[in-house]
Amino acid sequence: MQLLQELGAIDPAEKDPKKRLTQQGRKLSQLPVDPRLARMVLEADRNGCVREVMVIAAALSIQDPRERPAEKQAQADQQHARFKDETSDFLAYLNLWRYVREQQKERGSSSFRRMCKQEYLNFLRIREWQDIYAQLRTVAKQMGIQPNEEDAPEQSVHVSLLAGLLSHIGLKDVKDGAKNDYLGARSAKFAIFPGSALFKKPPRFVMSAELVETSRLWARVNARIEPEWIEPLAQHLVKKTYSEPHWEKDQAAVMAFEKVTLYGVPIVTDRKVNYGRIDPEVSRDLFIRNALVEGDWRTHHKFFADNRKLLTEVEELEHRARRRDILVDDETLFDFYDKRVPEHVVSGAHFDSWWKHKRREEPEFLDFEREMLINEKAGRSLRTTTRTRGGRARSSSG
């Protein structure tokens, strides 16, 4: 069930078991290969690389046609080296497929068999590979999936393969002593198999056709991938967390850092995103505190300039009186705006849209009054001081 959910074949939110199978799940069941490989073919149809992906899917369905006899490993490796691609073991299958097709056209049946033996290729497995490809092609055509005529870009091929291998990705572990370890799905640790073309230069992100447990967990048949390929394919699987929501004056919005993980593997770290749609309540709070109360905002609204001017006057009064308790605290100013600004206003843009209409109805709706900015106790003290000074002035004149 976990694999079917990964491949988008079932909808876990659907409570009725009879309705849980998705349209994609029905298509996967029609293709005569493992569901992971079938998912690759469906994605290839979207990406215009059906032919290449069906070749690779068929190859992954059988035992490797490249033989490596124990007594002749060096000779076999030398023969097979021409098919290698430094960034992808999957492309080696495509290179081998093209070579085999060319040789079949040029040679008779007996000559082709001899060539296979000389070059350490298993003739029967190659026939099986071609048979599975033919079956796939036939069923795919019945489903309306047409193979492409032109060669497809390598990236399209790998993105399509990735659709079936979302739980087979790995991020290179950069900790000291990691020795080319990869962090895989659900906290698995694996290493690239020594026979892989990627073994000597392991990339940061990798996808693997299979993970095999022997002396340790080895990744066989690998390719380098880019992390940005993963997220669009795994929207139904990724988990997103957010940190450090903060006001940004230039954006006139509350921003935060987003982290995206797939089965525990971080595929996006510290991506700056607009936090307003994620947590409107916190964003509104930060907007009011930073933009309206503290004045950290570039805006031409008249009320804003008037309010800042009034605050400055009261601050100057404090300075002249050599006191720090005249101006009300920020919470008082926050409460003033909090009672007036609607809940949906979480950024400068939201505010501008709302205020455009509101100011026509009540242009003084957000205007401060001098009295509200002066602390009540300080206000009484100031009035007493003023009266005292006035009394002294009258007695001295008398």
Side-chain angles (χ1 to χ4, degrees), residues 144-200:
I145 299 172
Q146 295 293 335
N148 45 299
E149 297 295 330
E150 300 294 323
D151 288 348
E154 291 177 3
Q155 180 174 321
S156 299
V157 173
H158 285 107
V159 168
S160 302
L161 297 175
L162 178 60
L165 299 172
L166 292 172
S167 59
H168 283 196
I169 64 164
L171 169 64
K172 197 169 187 296
D173 195 339
V174 293
K175 292 175 187 172
D176 292 338
K179 294 182 180 177
N180 292 339
D181 280 357
Y182 280 81
L183 169 65
R186 305 178 185 96
S187 302
K189 290 285 178 72
F190 65 83
I192 290 177
F193 189 68
S196 169
L198 282 69
F199 179 71
K200 290 182 180 178

Side-chain angles (χ1 to χ4, degrees), residues 75-202:
Q75 295 95 315
D77 288 347
Q78 189 176 357
Q79 286 286 347
H80 301 157
R82 59 195 150 148
F83 307 122
K84 279 194 172 184
D85 183 286
E86 286 188 3
T87 63
S88 173
D89 296 329
F90 296 96
L91 294 182
Y93 284 124
L94 281 181
N95 295 335
L96 174 59
W97 176 269
R98 291 176 185 129
Y99 174 73
V100 164
R101 294 294 291 267
E102 287 168 7
Q103 293 302 312
Q104 280 179 315
K105 287 177 183 175
E106 293 176 7
R107 298 170 181 267
S109 178
S110 300
S111 174
F112 180 71
R113 276 177 177 265
R114 286 195 299 273
M115 181 215 80
C116 287
K117 189 173 182 181
Q118 290 164 4
E119 299 181 8
Y120 303 97
L121 301 173
N122 187 298
F123 173 77
L124 292 177
R125 287 183 205 150
I126 285 174
R127 286 289 301 272
E128 185 184 5
W129 184 8
Q130 292 175 335
D131 287 347
I132 292 173
Y133 173 80
Q135 290 172 31
L136 261 177
R137 188 183 174 103
T138 301
V139 174
K141 278 189 174 180
Q142 292 168 357
M143 295 170 63
I145 299 172
Q146 295 293 335
N148 45 299
E149 297 295 330
E150 300 294 323
D151 288 348
E154 291 177 3
Q155 180 174 321
S156 299
V157 173
H158 285 107
V159 168
S160 302
L161 297 175
L162 178 60
L165 299 172
L166 292 172
S167 59
H168 283 196
I169 64 164
L171 169 64
K172 197 169 187 296
D173 195 339
V174 293
K175 292 175 187 172
D176 292 338
K179 294 182 180 177
N180 292 339
D181 280 357
Y182 280 81
L183 169 65
R186 305 178 185 96
S187 302
K189 290 285 178 72
F190 65 83
I192 290 177
F193 189 68
S196 169
L198 282 69
F199 179 71
K200 290 182 180 178
K201 287 185 179 179

Side-chain angles (χ1 to χ4, degrees), residues 292-295 303-313:
L292 297 175
V293 174
E294 296 176 14
F303 85 88
F304 185 81
D306 291 346
N307 287 355
R308 299 315 300 175
K309 184 181 178 184
L310 206 52
L311 283 168
T312 303
E313 288 175 4

Side-chain angles (χ1 to χ4, degrees), residues 27 57 107 137 180 233 247 320 374 381:
K27 288 182 179 179
R107 298 170 181 267
R137 188 183 174 103
N180 292 339
L233 295 170
W247 170 255
R320 288 197 303 272
I374 296 175
S381 175

Side-chain angles (χ1 to χ4, degrees), residues 135-277:
Q135 290 172 31
L136 261 177
R137 188 183 174 103
T138 301
V139 174
K141 278 189 174 180
Q142 292 168 357
M143 295 170 63
I145 299 172
Q146 295 293 335
N148 45 299
E149 297 295 330
E150 300 294 323
D151 288 348
E154 291 177 3
Q155 180 174 321
S156 299
V157 173
H158 285 107
V159 168
S160 302
L161 297 175
L162 178 60
L165 299 172
L166 292 172
S167 59
H168 283 196
I169 64 164
L171 169 64
K172 197 169 187 296
D173 195 339
V174 293
K175 292 175 187 172
D176 292 338
K179 294 182 180 177
N180 292 339
D181 280 357
Y182 280 81
L183 169 65
R186 305 178 185 96
S187 302
K189 290 285 178 72
F190 65 83
I192 290 177
F193 189 68
S196 169
L198 282 69
F199 179 71
K200 290 182 180 178
K201 287 185 179 179
R204 184 164 171 259
F205 276 90
V206 70
M207 68 174 171
S208 308
E210 59 176 344
L211 298 169
V212 181
E213 185 93 56
T214 54
S215 57
R216 62 169 307 174
L217 192 59
W218 294 108
R220 293 174 180 264
V221 189
N222 308 291
R224 183 185 73 199
I225 58 171
E226 299 301 329
E228 56 265 27
W229 300 349
I230 304 169
E231 193 178 356
L233 295 170
Q235 286 293 334
H236 60 302
L237 300 170
V238 296
K239 290 185 177 178
K240 298 179 179 181
T241 55
Y242 302 91
S243 62
E244 300 177 44
H246 59 280
W247 170 255
E248 287 202 2
K249 187 177 184 178
D250 291 342
Q251 302 276 355
V254 175
M255 309 297 285
F257 295 105
E258 183 178 57
K259 181 180 181 181
V260 183
T261 59
L262 175 60
Y263 296 124
V265 179
I267 57 174
V268 176
T269 56
D270 293 337
R271 177 167 63 193
K272 197 183 283 188
V273 294
N274 191 312
Y275 200 57
R277 59 185 173 79

Side-chain angles (χ1 to χ4, degrees), residues 360-371:
R360 290 173 189 160
E361 301 167 7
E362 296 181 72
E364 297 176 359
F365 187 60
L366 295 177
D367 286 1
F368 288 166
E369 291 178 6
R370 185 183 174 89
E371 289 71 24

